[in-house]
Amino acid sequence: MADLNSAGIAGSDLTKIQTDHVLSKPHSNDIESSHVVLSEEATAGIIDGAAERALCRKFDFRLLPVLAIMYLFNALDKGNLGNAQTAGLSKDLNFKSGQYNQIVGIFFVPYVLFAPPLAMLGKKFGPSRVLPLLMLCFGSFTLLTSATTNFGGIFALRWFLGVAESGFFPLVIYYLTTFYRRGELARRLAIFYAASNIANAFSGLLAFGVLQIKSDRVDHPWRWLFIVEGSVTVCFAIFAFFYLPRSAAEARFLNEEEKALAYRRIQIDSSSIVNEEFVLKDSLKVFKRPATYGFLIIEICLGVPLQAVALFLPQIVQRLVDDTVTINLYTVAPNVTGAVMLLVLAFASDSLRIRFPFVCLGFAFTFIGFIIYAAIQDVHAQIRVAYFATFMMCWGTSAPSVLLSTWYNNNVAHEGERLTLTSVGVPLANLMGLVASNVFQEKDAPKYLPALITTACFGATGCLVAGCLGLFMLWDNKRRNRQQGVNLTAKDVPTLQLRDGPRVPEFRWFL
């Protein structure tokens, strides 16, 4: 590795890159044949601004819409249970006390257990093939849910739904890191993740429409929710299987020059080795880094409010209105503004190339929203304030989820380590659905005061931990600069030098 003083990597953001002739085959998995030689002026900066913008536009229009629609159905199939519950699911299937909470909670057990192995299989066989197959599975299980007649049937299907959905989000994050630079990732993930908020909003509108269906083909209107959503999910999964490119090097919509540019971008500002073969032993080394556990603690703190809003917003809003149909409509606006807030914070984060202040801001929204709602005694007398609090809940749970995943992916250059951390962190946040599903007890309805206070506490803790971790990274970057007599930031160091993470002297945290 070049010495800092001789390498001159603290200079201009502009990069001069010399590549071997083998870059005509940038998709090779052979480490030697994928070798990239950096000049002394090399940084993780822009190679060719106009060409890179054109390349990103192609990725934005060809990849993001399809992935966003896939995730929209992922969120719909996971969260439609709340809408069915407001339409009488528990009563129609003769659930006993606490059984609804059990079918909500059981989803998260396989979601955590199966996420790492499925994500690793996705790395081995390619996200472009595994993601549509997972979608086909969870669409099928949603469709089958429409035929359930008792607690045991829906309980089993929720288990298998958790298995099918477990590897989806980690794989999508990894897939996008093979197309976009670190500083481009947050806004793209935000656009992708906004589909979840839109799904939550759309589920309310869909439930509103479905519950108007008068038909003797089914015994209960809520069955149409699972029939409609499951059928469309299965159809779109088949389309996605044949559409998604295996990698930038195999994308039919890129020419050879664009494929080579796409490869070089990822080599200097995302991965240490592009398309590196997955080795479990090497990938597990990410758990030897103390910062990993800081990220995982933040994921835990994020998970409770995230799942509380995703699973129980209809029940929270039910305190404001009495009519079942109106309840579902009242969930639309908070979820839509949550998506807007997510996009605003993610674009600002990418523009400033900093993550942790925006993560902290999201947690602050969560804390304030839940505390306000819990403090109101008479919601009908203060209905505007109470309804505004539900908006803040959605603002606070949307942004941190994307920015946190982006934050730790930005700080791990080893592809295997990056995938492993994501496949543990994302399911860990979803595992907190067990907490959410157990603190929202029917006996506490309609106010759910213990649940609201518990969720607010997790938001406050997440804000504190994220702030402390971000300040540590800021201090460590300054310490490294002081010791080496330079003034570097994360964008000044190409990621191909950062395979070993913080142990490398040139390493700088992406704040």
Side-chain angles (χ1 to χ4, degrees):
M1 186 174 294
D3 181 77
L4 274 172
N5 294 327
S6 63
I9 59 178
S12 170
D13 286 347
L14 295 177
T15 306
K16 289 172 62 179
I17 294 186
Q18 300 170 337
T19 61
D20 295 338
H21 293 296
V22 295
L23 276 179
S24 61
K25 296 181 180 181
H27 55 285
S28 172
N29 287 328
D30 189 316
I31 294 175
E32 292 299 319
S33 67
S34 300
H35 182 60
V36 177
V37 181
L38 293 175
S39 73
E40 290 190 343
E41 292 80 15
T43 70
I46 302 299
I47 299 170
D48 182 332
E52 290 204 40
R53 286 192 295 273
L55 182 65
C56 283
R57 279 195 297 271
K58 284 195 174 184
F59 291 152
D60 291 344
F61 286 107
R62 298 296 187 109
L63 288 179
L64 284 184
V66 175
L67 292 173
I69 292 172
M70 291 175 74
Y71 191 56
L72 183 147
F73 288 117
N74 176 279
L76 277 177
D77 292 350
K78 176 171 62 177
N80 52 19
L81 206 61
N83 298 114
Q85 173 67 359
T86 62
L89 173 72
S90 293
K91 181 181 178 181
D92 295 336
L93 298 186
N94 301 312
F95 286 179
K96 296 178 182 178
S97 177
Q99 286 190 327
Y100 175 74
N101 295 80
Q102 291 179 34
I103 64 171
V104 171
I106 192 59
F107 171 90
F108 299 101
V109 177
Y111 195 96
V112 172
L113 294 177
F114 288 92
L118 284 177
M120 293 170 189
L121 284 174
K123 167 69 172 165
K124 180 175 178 62
F125 295 104
S128 64
R129 293 297 172 263
V130 175
L131 285 171
L133 291 176
L134 292 177
M135 186 180 186
L136 180 68
C137 290
F138 63 70
S140 300
F141 294 135
T142 299
L143 196 55
L144 289 172
T145 304
S146 66
T148 55
T149 58
N150 54 45
F151 169 76
I154 199 167
F155 186 86
L157 284 169
R158 290 291 293 183
W159 168 276
F160 288 112
L161 184 69
V163 174
E165 293 204 2
S166 62
F168 191 85
F169 192 51
L171 264 181
V172 168
I173 294 175
Y174 168 71
Y175 189 48
L176 289 177
T177 64
T178 63
F179 289 91
Y180 292 104
R181 287 173 173 267
R182 291 180 295 174
E184 299 165 347
L185 190 60
R187 74 193 81 166
R188 270 77 186 190
L189 272 179
I191 293 171
F192 162 77
Y193 191 81
S196 174
N197 297 81
I198 295 170
N200 291 333
F202 180 65
S203 67
L205 290 173
L206 183 62
F208 172 77
V210 166
L211 293 177
Q212 309 305 310
I213 297 176
K214 306 297 181 183
S215 172
D216 56 2
R217 294 181 180 274
V218 298
D219 51 355
H220 305 297
W222 54 260
R223 294 191 187 277
W224 287 112
L225 280 173
F226 300 105
I227 293 172
V228 172
E229 293 173 11
S231 301
V232 179
T233 301
V234 168
C235 293
F236 198 83
I238 297 171
F239 162 75
F241 184 84
F242 295 101
Y243 179 83
L244 293 177
R246 289 181 178 271
S247 66
E250 298 179 58
R252 293 188 295 271
F253 53 84
L254 297 183
N255 59 38
E256 291 304 314
E257 290 183 358
E258 289 171 329
K259 291 176 182 179
L261 175 61
Y263 177 89
R264 293 199 297 271
R265 280 164 33 89
I266 301 306
Q267 183 78 70
I268 64 171
D269 199 14
S270 184
S271 300
S272 55
I273 299 173
V274 180
N275 296 333
E276 182 176 6
E277 183 179 351
F278 183 83
V279 179
L280 180 60
K281 183 179 179 181
D282 291 342
S283 300
L284 292 176
K285 290 179 181 178
V286 71
F287 295 108
K288 293 183 178 180
R289 301 177 188 173
T292 295
Y293 298 96
F295 286 127
L296 294 180
I297 291 171
I298 301 171
E299 286 279 20
I300 291 172
C301 294
L302 169 65
V304 175
L306 181 66
Q307 296 305 323
V309 169
L311 298 172
F312 292 99
L313 186 60
Q315 284 77 12
I316 293 172
V317 170
Q318 196 167 18
R319 185 182 171 198
L320 304 178
V321 291
D322 298 321
D323 181 60
T324 298
V325 175
T326 310
I327 291 170
N328 289 309
L329 284 178
Y330 264 59
T331 64
V332 175
N335 281 302
V336 170
T337 60
V340 173
M341 182 61 70
L342 165 62
L343 294 172
V344 170
L345 294 184
F347 273 75
S349 177
D350 266 359
S351 177
L352 298 173
R353 291 183 65 92
I354 190 168
R355 309 297 185 208
F356 82 90
F358 296 99
V359 174
C360 293
L361 180 60
F363 276 115
F365 283 143
T366 295
F367 173 74
I368 296 170
F370 277 96
I371 285 295
I372 289 176
Y373 200 81
I376 296 174
Q377 297 298 321
D378 185 354
V379 292
H380 295 290
Q382 298 177 279
I383 191 167
R384 292 182 180 179
V385 176
Y387 193 41
F388 178 73
T390 66
F391 281 69
M392 294 195 74
M393 294 176 194
C394 292
W395 299 347
T397 54
S398 299
S401 55
V402 166
L403 294 176
L404 177 58
S405 298
T406 307
W407 190 14
Y408 56 70
N409 272 272
N410 287 164
N411 282 294
V412 181
H414 187 288
E415 288 188 348
E417 291 182 0
R418 192 162 69 219
L419 177 68
T420 301
L421 178 55
T422 306
S423 66
V424 172
V426 171
L428 188 61
N430 282 273
L431 179 64
M432 293 301 101
L434 289 173
V435 177
S437 62
N438 282 285
V439 297
F440 279 87
Q441 297 287 332
E442 291 182 12
K443 62 184 177 64
D444 298 321
K447 190 171 182 180
Y448 296 107
L449 185 61
L452 297 175
I453 294 174
T454 300
T455 307
C457 290
F458 274 92
T461 305
C463 183
L464 178 64
V465 176
C468 290
L469 183 58
L471 291 175
F472 162 75
M473 291 179 174
L474 187 63
W475 171 83
D476 192 47
N477 281 355
K478 290 182 177 180
R479 178 185 64 84
R480 290 169 183 262
N481 283 339
R482 229 178 12 251
Q483 289 178 347
Q484 298 162 7
V486 294
N487 186 26
L488 302 181
T489 63
K491 72 177 181 179
D492 297 318
V493 187
T495 49
L496 81 155
Q497 298 184 10
L498 305 179
R499 180 179 172 82
D500 294 326
R503 288 179 295 177
V504 178
E506 294 91 341
F507 181 87
R508 295 297 183 274
W509 296 101
F510 197 111
L511 302 175

